[in-house]
Amino acid sequence: MDNDQNDNGPPNAPEAPDKEKMDQIRRRRLEKLSGPSTPTPRSGSPAQGGSASASSSPAPAPKASEQVESTPKPKINVTPASTSAATPSENPFSKLTTRPSNGASAATVREASEAKTLKRRRAESDVQTSPRVPIRKLASPSTDESLDNYANRVLGQIFRITLDPAQKVDSSNHKLTYLPNLRSELEEEQSPLSFTTDRLDSAILEAASSVPNNISILDYLLPCWKRITKALKGIRGTSNGKDEVLKEAKRLCMSNCIFAVEMPELYGRDPNPSTDSLTPYLLNEAGADKGICPDFLAEAVSRFDEDDTVKPMLMKAIAGLSLQLSTMTMSDNYKPYINALKQVSQFPRLVTAIAEDPLFQMATSAPGIEKHTLLGPFFRISPLQPEVAREYFSGPKTMDKRHIHTSQEALRMTLQTHQRDLLDIINHFVRASPSSKNKTLDWFAYIVNSNHKRRALRPDPTQLSSDAFLMNVTVVLDGLCEPFMDATFSKISKIDVDYLRRRPRVDIESETKLNADQNASDEYYKTEAEGTSNFISEVFFLTLAAHHYGSEATNATLKSLDKDIKYLNSKIGEMENERPKFANNPMNSARLEEQIRKFTDVLEKAMQFKFAIEGVLLDKQMQTRSLLFMRYVTVWLLRIATQSDYTPDKTIELPLKAEQPDAFRFLPEYVLEDIVGNFNFIFRFVPDVMISAIGDEIIHLCITFLTNSEYIKNPYLKAKLVSLLFHGTWPVYHRTKGVLGDSLIGTRFANDHLLHALIKFYIEVESTGAHTQFYDKFNIRYEIFQVIKCIWSNDIYRQRLTQESKTNTEFFLQFVNLLMNDATYVLDEALTKFPKIHDLQQELDNPSLAGEQRATKEEELQTLEGQAQSYMQLTNETVSMMKLFTKTLSASFTMPEIIDRVAAMVDYTLDTIVGPKSANLKVKDPKKYFFEPRTLLSEFVDIYLHLGVSDRFVEAVARDGRSYKPINFDNASRIMERYNMRSHEDMAAWESLKRRFAKAKELEDQDEGDLGEIPDEFEDPLLATLMTDPVTLPVSKMVLDRSTIRSHLLSDPHDPFNRSPLKIEDVIPNTELKARIDAWRDGMRQKAKDARQDKMDTSGG
């Protein structure tokens, strides 16, 4: 014991067994120890390297009778060495929680006076508290030292034991344990008083039995083990039998270590879990006196076959590590536990034993996996543990960004190291043996299969594994995939899609499929595929599932936290505004303060967790590995869909085959969802990761499935492909067009197919089937506009658009019609908000407005401002698209089917921004709402000029009886001149166009007067205008103008009168009616012309 314990005296030593009991124990032990001393190691040796001692094979230990009747050896006189002043040595039995010392230690025994009361004398080791007789250093052993003398000296030094009651310390001042029982036996047998390998087991038994009950025997034995291995490594050249002495000592020392843990009663002590375990020693440094070194583990593992107690001993120690770690966090001293498992995992047979242990997968629930399985506690260590987030982000409301970033970076670096350690451990588990590999894969599968509900709309955290645990699982599985994810995709063919039809570990039965219903899916997967799945396929699909339930679920948690934080801040603000109301009511005021405190606590926890998640998810190293995996998933998915050997350096023939491959249709939807979610997250938050890692496969993916959108059932999943392209065009550092912009502009595949794919999806999102489809389409189309603006600098896209309008007229006309619908709606919604905002701002400027009334109006104003901002952004983008397209394709916007709507829309807008109502558009800080009237006016002037080349457009403007007002065009001229908005050439063209409008209006009025009242049979029943090309609808038999029904079918493919399905090809030309209309119109015009001529003649006469 340490000297500081001498105040109260050393702890009482256990009763020593009497001679008869000792003989029984010795016989039992010798039976246990008989056989080969150190078998040749098998697969239990470390994966790398091995101890020299582990490979030796000493002679068998002699039986008890052989020891007694052995040939007498020359008697060795054991004389006490002269002593010198000694300093107290460090206690080897210090508390297990303290860090071990590398210094030597000695056992403590009870005082001599206490020893007299025992049935027999027991081993004694002095606790020296004061200097004794000076010690004379022993001379170095001579080179011709006999083997017996060597054994006596070395064994005494190793085990720090003596047969001389007067010798208290050795030559190095280490305390020695006196063995009175062994001395008595030797004297009775008249054997030399020296240590031999024959009597070593008795010596170790007696010395170990002297260790106090409250101290583990391993405190004594492990330092002995270290001294043995050191001595073995020190032997050079011919050993002359010395190595056999050391190997026997090593064998017996290991055996006693096993007995100390598994059969402590052999040492006269009751079993005690707190002392009879290797767990605390695994936590010590391997090189420390009381640490477990690789040599020790190698020796223990080598005994698995011959001793059935060794494996349980090690399993209990590892289970102890796991149990203790299950209550710890990253803020605690968790590193020794990781290091211990890393050391243990170096031994394949031991790893196999761990994987086959029932505790390896003992959990019965998702939350239990990370606490009750052997590896679970190691994987739950993370910055995402609430205690860690609370410690690193205390006071989150007042933390500045720099402090937050510093804390996140510190946690990130710690987590990176921890995840590398976990990957190293798992690599050993999957390589140790087929059994451990399969058990490890089973464990990962159990994790992902138990956490399906993490992707529910409202997951219950108490029923699921934590973000901390699953993020580590995802990262480690990413690491397992790295060896087969090379830059050339050379091993991608090894990923077998039929894995999912061979009773896979990953459960996808309840998952939504890419393009199949549940019944069809069940029927497909009922048929089992032949063959066996390889390891690459196993890990690939496990990693894919881990991303879905792990990192992607954590991404969703982050989005949810943002919403929660916004809501909590608003609620706290509302409650704080209520304080004045309860100033004179202490009870209600106290209740309010308690509510504010509760909301603030919840807010701070949400902010802490958010900061921690950002710290983990914004890890560039982690996201780089994730990106590499998702690139592989992308290429693999395209190979399945195209039924080809696609790689990014190859192209894809579009459109794909009409018949979709079953292997693709029945894949879980999350295969594509995780690709898109992962790339979108990286584009938005860590885009620099993409710059050097992205290939053409992501562009191929988006264009392929936007072109063949029928391959994917979920419209929102298709919309995310647009979002992916959109985020890829955001500026990043020196890349003004983002990570994907240059590739979208310059690659052949994008040039050929991108614009058509975007326009096609623009049309499709008109109807998504969701209750929010009306508003969803605007967000999706906004992103489509941004992508088109990015690529428009390449003239080839203008050529593609022109070609599309000529070769696929109906398709393009449908697009233009929807563009007009959007422009009309968002313009009206945006511009009608400003008069209301204008009025509210004036009312709020009134200082006499009451508090409650003011609050109501402020809330109303805030709502209107949000709506105005959204609609105005959409307005600006829609008008910008119209400007681009009308410049390139003016003829497409002046087709009879849509020309009247185009004219009405531009006239109405011009009337709103420059007409009498424009005064109501004046609001404070219009740029806040993205509203710049002069810019908007200039955009519409461009549209007028682009379309003005068509006489049909000029006539349609003049025909617009609702909004065409010549004064509006004059006002526009005045504004442009005042602010010098346009060039002289543009102003001249504008004035010329105004004159053409006026002339057309004059002719339109004259024609209207000439025709007079239109007969009912010639009038279009929907628009009440004169038909020019009447057609009969096939089912309802109604007659209306071709342009009218064609325009209707652009938005609604049904007969407007009975809702039966209808295509423009189905209508029947009514040639007879057309002839009558033409004749009537010509006759009326001729009649009016003759009347005017008669009038002129009369006036002239």
Side-chain angles (χ1 to χ4, degrees):
M1 299 295 291
D2 286 346
N3 291 342
D4 59 359
Q5 297 182 5
N6 291 340
D7 295 317
N8 300 320
N12 292 333
E15 293 288 334
D18 57 21
K19 182 171 175 42
E20 183 179 352
K21 183 68 176 287
M22 287 284 285
D23 289 342
Q24 293 176 358
I25 292 173
R26 284 186 68 243
R27 281 194 296 274
R28 288 167 59 193
R29 288 165 51 80
L30 288 170
E31 289 173 3
K32 198 78 174 167
L33 299 175
S34 63
S37 57
T38 309
T40 303
R42 286 175 280 279
S43 60
S45 58
Q48 296 178 349
S51 168
S53 60
S55 61
S56 59
S57 302
K63 296 183 179 178
S65 60
E66 293 172 348
Q67 290 182 6
V68 175
E69 299 173 6
S70 58
T71 306
K73 298 181 177 65
K75 188 169 184 177
I76 299 174
N77 294 323
V78 180
T79 57
S82 58
T83 58
S84 61
T87 57
S89 60
E90 187 175 347
N91 174 20
F93 311 125
S94 55
K95 292 181 180 179
L96 299 181
T97 54
T98 58
R99 292 186 70 82
S101 168
N102 291 328
S105 54
T108 303
V109 298
R110 75 177 57 178
E111 299 292 339
S113 59
E114 294 176 322
K116 295 177 182 178
T117 63
L118 300 177
K119 294 179 182 178
R120 292 193 62 193
R121 292 175 296 167
R122 62 177 290 112
E124 299 173 2
S125 71
D126 275 342
V127 178
Q128 299 185 29
T129 58
S130 58
R132 303 296 181 97
V133 179
I135 296 176
R136 175 175 54 84
K137 277 193 175 183
L138 293 177
S140 300
S142 61
T143 55
D144 58 351
E145 181 183 27
S146 70
L147 187 60
D148 290 338
N149 286 348
Y150 172 81
N152 177 57
R153 176 178 60 81
V154 168
L155 295 177
Q157 290 175 349
I158 287 172
F159 293 97
R160 294 190 180 159
I161 50 180
T162 181
L163 295 172
D164 184 357
Q167 187 180 10
K168 307 297 183 183
V169 296
D170 64 10
S171 60
S172 300
N173 204 28
H174 298 128
K175 297 168 192 162
L176 301 177
T177 299
Y178 172 54
L179 308 180
N181 293 342
L182 180 58
R183 181 185 174 100
S184 296
E185 290 178 9
L186 292 173
E187 287 175 343
E188 289 173 8
E189 297 169 5
Q190 296 183 350
S191 296
L193 295 180
S194 63
F195 297 117
T196 65
T197 54
D198 296 341
R199 294 290 187 175
L200 183 57
D201 62 311
S202 298
I204 296 174
L205 171 64
E206 189 172 353
S209 298
S210 70
V211 177
N213 280 345
N214 65 331
I215 296 175
S216 174
I217 295 174
L218 293 174
D219 275 22
Y220 166 68
L221 291 174
L222 287 176
C224 296
W225 174 270
K226 294 291 175 61
R227 291 191 285 273
I228 295 170
T229 55
K230 184 177 180 182
L232 275 167
K233 292 174 182 175
I235 293 179
R236 298 287 186 271
T238 305
S239 62
N240 296 325
K242 294 178 182 179
D243 62 330
E244 296 302 322
V245 173
L246 294 174
K247 289 174 183 177
E248 180 65 5
K250 179 180 180 182
R251 184 180 72 84
L252 292 173
C253 184
M254 171 58 70
S255 297
N256 277 275
C257 287
I258 297 169
F259 294 142
V261 174
E262 294 296 305
M263 299 193 305
E265 62 273 10
L266 293 181
Y267 302 93
R269 55 204 285 155
D270 295 327
N272 183 354
S274 64
T275 57
D276 305 336
S277 172
L278 285 176
T279 299
Y281 303 97
L282 284 169
L283 296 174
N284 293 336
E285 298 272 349
D289 271 358
K290 297 176 189 175
I292 302 293
C293 62
D295 289 335
F296 183 92
L297 290 173
E299 178 70 17
V301 171
S302 72
R303 297 190 179 203
F304 273 10
D305 294 332
E306 66 185 62
D307 190 341
D308 57 6
T309 64
V310 178
K311 191 182 294 183
M313 174 188 72
L314 292 173
M315 289 304 97
K316 282 192 290 185
I318 294 162
L321 291 174
S322 180
L323 180 62
Q324 292 178 25
L325 188 60
S326 68
T327 62
M328 300 174 70
T329 71
M330 186 169 269
S331 297
D332 299 317
N333 185 27
Y334 70 92
K335 190 66 177 177
Y337 295 85
I338 306 299
N339 291 337
L341 187 60
K342 282 180 67 178
Q343 180 176 226
V344 164
S345 65
Q346 301 290 322
F347 300 89
R349 292 195 69 195
L350 182 50
V351 168
T352 302
I354 296 171
E356 293 175 349
D357 191 275
L359 288 175
F360 189 75
Q361 193 168 311
M362 185 60 76
T364 57
S365 66
I369 300 172
E370 56 188 281
K371 284 204 168 188
H372 305 314
T373 61
L374 283 178
L375 293 182
F378 295 88
F379 275 77
R380 70 188 294 267
I381 297 296
S382 168
L384 300 184
Q385 292 173 290
E387 302 87 346
V388 183
R390 188 162 54 247
E391 178 180 341
Y392 275 80
F393 303 104
S394 59
K397 294 179 71 176
T398 57
M399 287 182 75
D400 61 73
K401 290 185 178 180
R402 184 175 181 181
H403 187 184
I404 294 170
H405 177 76
T406 302
S407 298
Q408 288 174 336
E409 190 61 32
L411 289 171
R412 198 175 293 137
M413 292 176 66
T414 304
L415 181 62
Q416 287 172 357
T417 302
H418 179 56
Q419 289 171 342
R420 282 195 297 269
D421 289 339
L422 292 176
L423 177 59
D424 182 49
I425 290 166
I426 292 300
N427 265 319
H428 283 100
F429 268 76
V430 298
R431 287 171 169 79
S433 68
S435 174
S436 67
K437 177 182 72 177
N438 287 324
K439 292 288 185 181
T440 304
L441 295 178
D442 287 343
W443 184 69
F444 281 124
Y446 183 52
I447 292 168
V448 297
N449 293 337
S450 300
N451 282 284
H452 282 203
K453 291 185 178 179
R454 271 176 61 85
R455 299 314 307 269
L457 290 176
R458 295 180 180 176
D460 181 0
T462 63
Q463 302 300 314
L464 301 165
S465 299
S466 66
D467 288 289
F469 177 72
L470 278 164
M471 278 301 303
N472 284 337
V473 168
T474 305
V475 170
V476 168
L477 284 171
D478 273 341
L480 282 182
C481 293
E482 277 191 273
F484 64 80
M485 294 192 300
D486 60 330
T488 61
F489 299 89
S490 63
K491 297 181 181 178
I492 198 165
S493 60
K494 295 184 181 295
I495 302 172
D496 186 0
V497 70
D498 282 338
Y499 163 85
L500 297 172
R501 300 175 64 198
R502 297 194 186 105
R503 298 181 183 179
R505 286 184 167 90
V506 179
D507 178 16
I508 64 166
E509 182 180 358
S510 61
E511 290 294 336
T512 305
K513 304 307 185 290
L514 273 172
N515 203 5
D517 59 31
Q518 188 63 46
N519 291 334
S521 173
D522 292 342
E523 189 65 27
Y524 175 74
Y525 285 111
K526 187 189 299 182
T527 305
E528 189 170 336
E530 296 180 355
T532 57
S533 298
N534 55 45
F535 178 73
I536 289 178
S537 298
E538 291 271 14
V539 176
F540 176 82
F541 285 101
L542 276 172
T543 308
L544 195 54
H547 272 275
H548 186 60
Y549 306 117
S551 59
E552 293 305 309
T554 304
N555 288 350
T557 301
L558 182 60
K559 294 177 185 176
S560 178
L561 282 171
D562 283 332
K563 294 178 182 177
D564 291 346
I565 290 169
K566 185 177 180 180
Y567 168 77
L568 290 167
N569 273 319
S570 67
K571 289 297 292 182
I572 291 171
E574 289 175 10
M575 287 188 287
E576 287 176 341
N577 290 334
E578 296 290 314
R579 277 187 173 129
K581 294 183 180 180
F582 302 107
N584 299 322
N585 190 328
M587 183 178 295
N588 288 339
S589 179
R591 288 177 183 170
L592 179 64
E593 293 302 324
E594 178 64 16
Q595 285 293 315
I596 292 175
R597 186 190 64 78
K598 287 181 179 178
F599 271 80
T600 302
D601 287 345
V602 175
L603 172 63
E604 290 191 346
K605 287 179 182 177
M607 292 179 70
Q608 288 165 348
F609 195 34
K610 176 194 172 184
F611 293 154
I613 289 180
E614 288 176 341
V616 172
L617 290 181
L618 301 186
D619 179 356
K620 293 182 181 179
Q621 287 187 20
M622 182 269 287
Q623 291 294 359
T624 300
R625 288 192 296 272
S626 176
L627 176 66
L628 178 61
F629 175 74
M630 285 303 167
R631 287 189 64 197
Y632 251 72
V633 179
T634 302
V635 173
W636 175 81
L637 183 62
L638 286 170
R639 290 167 74 98
I640 301 298
T642 60
Q643 298 176 285
S644 68
D645 60 349
Y646 166 79
T647 50
D649 59 328
K650 299 177 181 178
T651 191
I652 296 173
E653 292 296 326
L654 293 182
L656 301 180
K657 295 177 182 178
E659 185 178 353
Q660 301 173 25
D662 285 345
F664 176 84
R665 290 177 54 226
F666 294 107
L667 282 174
E669 194 175 82
Y670 68 66
V671 175
L672 181 58
E673 184 180 358
D674 290 353
I675 295 172
V676 176
N678 184 265
F679 279 114
N680 269 328
F681 182 87
I682 295 175
F683 274 136
R684 290 190 63 187
F685 298 107
V686 278
D688 45 328
V689 169
M690 303 287 287
I691 293 175
S692 59
I694 195 66
D696 289 340
E697 67 279 346
I698 196 64
I699 294 175
H700 293 171
L701 178 85
C702 294
I703 295 176
T704 297
F705 292 123
L706 287 175
T707 300
N708 287 86
S709 56
E710 67 278 7
Y711 269 54
I712 302 168
K713 182 171 60 175
N714 186 342
Y716 292 106
L717 190 51
K718 290 183 275 192
K720 288 180 180 179
L721 294 171
V722 175
S723 296
L724 190 51
L725 294 173
F726 168 57
H727 292 141
T729 59
W730 282 9
V732 180
Y733 303 126
H734 61 285
R735 294 179 177 239
T736 57
K737 294 185 180 294
V739 177
L740 296 181
D742 291 339
S743 296
L744 292 175
I745 292 171
T747 60
R748 174 73 179 272
F749 186 77
N751 293 163
D752 289 344
H753 304 290
L754 176 59
L755 193 59
H756 175 86
L758 291 174
I759 293 175
K760 181 175 183 289
F761 194 62
Y762 185 101
I763 296 169
E764 286 183 14
V765 296
E766 182 68 19
S767 177
T768 63
H771 67 282
T772 57
Q773 68 179 18
F774 183 77
Y775 299 100
D776 292 337
K777 68 181 181 182
F778 290 118
N779 293 325
I780 297 167
R781 288 169 176 172
Y782 172 84
E783 294 181 346
I784 291 175
F785 290 154
Q786 300 305 310
V787 178
I788 292 175
K789 284 170 66 176
C790 174
I791 63 175
W792 204 246
S793 58
N794 188 346
D795 188 60
I796 196 167
Y797 283 109
R798 297 189 185 91
Q799 297 172 21
R800 295 290 182 202
L801 190 65
T802 303
Q803 182 183 1
E804 195 79 54
S805 68
K806 293 177 180 177
T807 59
N808 201 350
T809 307
E810 289 297 324
F811 169 80
F812 189 74
L813 192 58
Q814 193 176 4
F815 163 67
V816 172
N817 180 67
L818 293 174
L819 182 64
M820 293 304 306
N821 288 346
D822 287 353
T824 302
Y825 178 79
V826 296
L827 268 167
D828 189 58
E829 286 295 315
L831 297 180
T832 55
K833 296 290 183 294
F834 291 116
K836 298 176 183 177
I837 293 173
H838 171 80
D839 294 342
L840 282 171
Q841 287 177 340
Q842 285 192 332
E843 290 180 42
L844 288 168
D845 286 341
N846 183 0
S848 62
L849 195 63
E852 190 169 335
Q853 193 176 2
R854 177 177 293 276
T856 302
K857 292 197 176 291
E858 284 177 345
E859 185 176 348
E860 184 182 354
L861 176 63
Q862 187 177 7
T863 302
L864 283 170
E865 286 181 335
Q867 293 173 345
Q869 288 173 344
S870 298
Y871 282 121
M872 203 61 228
Q873 282 182 282
L874 288 169
T875 294
N876 292 336
E877 295 305 323
T878 307
V879 172
S880 178
M881 282 299 100
M882 285 190 64
K883 177 183 171 182
L884 287 178
F885 291 159
T886 54
K887 182 177 181 180
T888 304
L889 296 168
S890 60
S892 299
F893 285 83
T894 56
M895 292 181 181
E897 295 83 355
I898 61 171
I899 187 59
D900 287 330
R901 295 187 59 229
V902 172
M905 188 271 287
V906 292
D907 287 347
Y908 173 76
T909 305
L910 187 67
D911 183 45
T912 303
I913 58 179
V914 302
K917 298 178 183 178
S918 61
N920 293 331
L921 298 178
K922 294 181 179 178
V923 292
K924 296 176 181 177
D925 190 15
K927 290 185 178 181
K928 173 183 177 181
Y929 313 104
F930 308 100
F931 178 44
E932 298 183 39
R934 289 199 291 273
T935 302
L936 188 61
L937 171 61
S938 183
E939 298 271 330
F940 270 90
V941 168
D942 280 327
I943 294 172
Y944 272 111
L945 293 174
H946 294 161
L947 299 178
V949 297
S950 167
D951 289 338
R952 189 182 291 155
F953 173 71
V954 173
E955 292 169 0
V957 169
R959 200 163 50 240
D960 177 20
R962 178 189 176 195
S963 300
Y964 171 67
K965 300 171 185 175
I967 192 173
N968 290 337
F969 291 86
D970 294 336
N971 289 339
S973 298
R974 179 172 46 80
I975 293 170
M976 288 189 288
E977 288 172 354
R978 180 190 303 172
Y979 296 102
N980 197 24
M981 293 167 53
R982 310 294 300 210
S983 66
H984 292 297
E985 292 78 6
D986 285 348
M987 290 304 297
W990 176 251
E991 293 301 324
S992 174
L993 186 60
K994 284 166 54 180
R995 290 191 292 271
R996 289 175 63 202
F997 287 149
K999 180 64 175 175
K1001 176 62 175 172
E1002 181 182 338
L1003 294 175
E1004 172 65 23
D1005 290 344
Q1006 178 179 312
D1007 192 53
E1008 186 175 346
D1010 290 348
L1011 295 177
E1013 188 170 344
I1014 302 172
D1016 290 343
E1017 61 177 324
F1018 298 162
E1019 191 174 63
D1020 186 287
L1022 291 183
L1023 300 183
T1025 56
L1026 178 67
M1027 292 186 287
T1028 58
D1029 185 9
V1031 293
T1032 303
L1033 304 187
V1035 178
S1036 66
K1037 303 302 180 182
M1038 294 295 292
V1039 178
L1040 66 170
D1041 197 77
R1042 182 184 294 275
S1043 64
T1044 303
I1045 189 59
R1046 194 171 187 180
S1047 177
H1048 168 80
L1049 293 176
L1050 292 174
S1051 303
D1052 184 358
H1054 298 92
D1055 187 318
F1057 298 100
N1058 64 7
R1059 305 302 300 158
S1060 61
L1062 179 65
K1063 295 180 180 178
I1064 192 64
E1065 295 85 1
D1066 299 334
V1067 301
I1068 305 167
N1070 196 328
T1071 53
E1072 185 271 333
L1073 180 60
K1074 182 178 187 306
R1076 290 169 55 202
I1077 292 172
D1078 290 344
W1080 174 82
R1081 184 179 58 242
D1082 292 344
M1084 293 298 292
R1085 284 177 176 170
Q1086 185 60 46
K1087 184 178 179 181
K1089 182 178 180 182
D1090 292 343
R1092 282 194 297 275
Q1093 185 64 43
D1094 291 343
K1095 185 178 180 180
M1096 291 176 63
D1097 293 343
T1098 303
S1099 61

